[in-house]
């Protein structure tokens, strides 16, 4: 609906936490209506894997940050929760410098990324020697490891990865993954992430709020209600921080409001 001022008011439905993206009482049509009302014009947006690889080849990687992400740095104690030597999972890792930062702190890192260039640049830009080998369990995939063997980056489709490859993880840092995958794949994504969470896992999730009818993404709009519908049936969810993240970049996208939220998601004890 639109207010008298012409601003779009996005009405977000409340979901029954069935672990899916809509109420378990809903019909398929009702679910589609709910999803569309939440995501606006982004609901059926699809980006092929080749488009992401093309962005890396053309260095159109405005999403890459050259410094450790402040949301991770500011909340690292909550993620670690007193633990040492934690194994972190990075979905759609790119060449995030956060991975080296965590490894230097004594943790280990496993990442998944479709772009071979991104993975190679990570090791080269951080002056790391690395090895490359095939992954028998994932046809066509390769894994790159630094000489210390505390960083392993898999070059493959994220949805071909599973806990049978590297086990489950004590922590997950999701800065630009849920906001990057196609909105229609979010339920499949949540199922994968939950399957990768160890009992003591602490999953730090960064999401973005803005008017999805003004910008087609990526990064995509992920409302808090959908975070709860995706993960709330099996996990506890805490909103750690919310801040105005609007910059000139988002203004060029046509936005006048842009909020960054960070959530801590942990498996329910029962």
């Amino acid at each position: 609906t639109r207010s008298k001022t012409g601003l779009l008011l996005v009405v977000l439905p409340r979901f029954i936490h069935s672990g899916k993206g809509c109420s378990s009482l809903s019909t398929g049509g009702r679910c589609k209506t709910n999803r569309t009302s939440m995501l606006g014009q982004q609901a059926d947006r699809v980006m092929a894997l080749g488009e992401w690889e093309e962005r890396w080849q053309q260095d159109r990687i405005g999403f890459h940050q050259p410094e450790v992400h402040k949301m991770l740095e500011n909340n690292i104690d909550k993620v670690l929760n007193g633990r040492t030597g934690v194994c972190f999972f990075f979905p759609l890792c790119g060449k995030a410098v956060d991975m080296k930062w965590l490894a230097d702190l004594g943790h280990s890192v496993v990442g998944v990324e479709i772009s071979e260039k991104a993975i190679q640049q990570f090791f080269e830009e951080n002056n790391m020697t690395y090895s490359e080998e095939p992954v028998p369990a994932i046809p066509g995939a390769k894994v790159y490891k630094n000489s210390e063997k505390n960083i392993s980056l898999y070059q493959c489709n994220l949805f071909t990865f599973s806990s049978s490859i590297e086990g489950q993880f004590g922590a997950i840092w999701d800065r630009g993954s849920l906001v990057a995958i196609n909105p229609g794949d979010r339920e499949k994504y949540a199922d994968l992430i939950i399957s990768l969470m160890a009992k003591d896992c602490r999953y730090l999730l960064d999401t973005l709020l803005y008017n999805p009818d003004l910008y087609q993404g990526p990064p995509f709009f992920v409302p808090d209600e959908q975070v709860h519908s995706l993960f709330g049936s099996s996990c506890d969810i805490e909103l750690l921080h919310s801040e105005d993240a609007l910059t000139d970049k988002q203004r060029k996208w046509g936005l006048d409001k842009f909020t960054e939220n960070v959530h801590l998601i942990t498996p329910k004890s029962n």
Side-chain angles (χ1 to χ4, degrees):
T1 56
R2 290 189 181 273
S3 68
K4 294 179 181 178
T5 61
L7 294 175
L8 181 73
L9 304 178
V10 179
V11 180
L12 301 179
R14 292 191 176 273
F15 291 85
I16 293 174
H17 290 173
S18 61
K20 299 298 180 184
C22 61
S23 166
S24 58
L25 302 179
S26 300
T27 64
R30 172 75 178 280
C31 178
K32 178 65 176 293
T33 300
N34 283 350
R35 184 162 65 88
T36 301
S37 67
M38 293 178 72
L39 303 179
Q41 296 180 18
Q42 295 181 350
D44 297 309
R45 179 92 159 86
V46 174
M47 278 190 68
L49 291 178
E51 292 183 68
W52 288 108
E53 292 185 272
E54 188 175 279
R55 287 187 178 211
W56 279 99
Q57 290 300 325
Q58 298 175 352
D59 290 321
R60 294 189 293 120
I61 53 170
F63 48 83
H64 173 70
Q65 296 191 359
E67 305 293 335
V68 175
H69 197 284
K70 64 180 179 180
M71 291 293 193
L72 175 61
E73 202 167 16
N74 292 345
N75 293 287
I76 189 62
D77 289 343
K78 292 186 177 70
V79 176
L80 295 177
N81 198 33
R83 299 173 297 169
T84 58
V86 175
C87 186
F88 278 76
F89 180 61
F90 275 63
L92 307 189
C93 61
K95 57 176 182 177
V97 297
D98 305 9
M99 296 189 288
K100 182 178 186 299
W101 181 70
L102 287 168
D104 288 345
L105 290 176
H107 308 292
S108 58
V109 171
V110 173
V112 174
E113 169 58 48
I114 193 62
S115 170
E116 185 174 40
K117 181 178 180 180
I119 293 173
Q120 292 172 341
Q121 284 187 342
F122 169 78
F123 290 112
E124 291 163 3
E125 291 175 5
N126 288 293
N127 299 311
M128 295 181 183
T129 56
Y130 63 93
S131 61
E132 168 193 335
E133 58 189 69
V135 183
I138 308 176
K142 289 184 281 189
V143 60
Y144 295 76
K145 299 181 181 182
N146 63 339
S147 56
E148 292 79 14
K149 305 297 184 184
N150 60 351
I151 300 177
S152 300
L153 304 185
Y154 286 79
Q155 192 247 319
C156 63
N157 181 336
L158 177 64
F159 292 115
T160 64
F161 191 80
S162 70
S163 59
S164 66
I165 308 298
E166 285 275 359
Q168 293 179 311
F169 299 93
I172 299 172
W173 171 220
D174 186 339
R175 195 281 286 191
S177 187
L178 181 58
V179 299
I181 64 162
N182 296 324
D185 289 334
R186 286 180 187 166
E187 291 179 29
K188 181 168 66 169
Y189 179 85
D191 288 344
L192 172 63
I193 293 296
I194 290 169
S195 75
L196 294 174
M197 296 174 74
K199 290 182 179 180
D200 64 345
C201 184
R202 299 176 76 79
Y203 169 29
L204 195 66
L205 169 65
D206 196 49
T207 59
L208 304 171
L209 302 179
Y210 59 85
N211 185 338
D213 286 317
L214 298 179
Y215 176 65
Q216 68 171 355
F220 297 115
F221 162 77
V222 180
D224 291 354
E225 285 82 355
Q226 194 172 40
V227 173
H228 282 268
S229 74
L230 291 171
F231 298 101
S233 64
S234 58
C235 299
D236 293 317
I237 302 166
E238 178 186 357
L239 178 63
L240 295 181
H241 190 70
S242 181
E243 72 171 38
D244 177 6
L246 184 70
T247 68
D248 287 341
K249 176 192 288 188
Q250 289 81 39
R251 291 188 183 94
K252 289 178 181 177
W253 296 346
L255 301 175
D256 57 3
K257 288 184 179 179
F258 190 76
T259 302
E260 186 174 9
N261 284 352
V262 64
H263 314 262
L264 182 64
I265 301 178
T266 53
K268 289 181 176 178
S269 54
N270 52 356

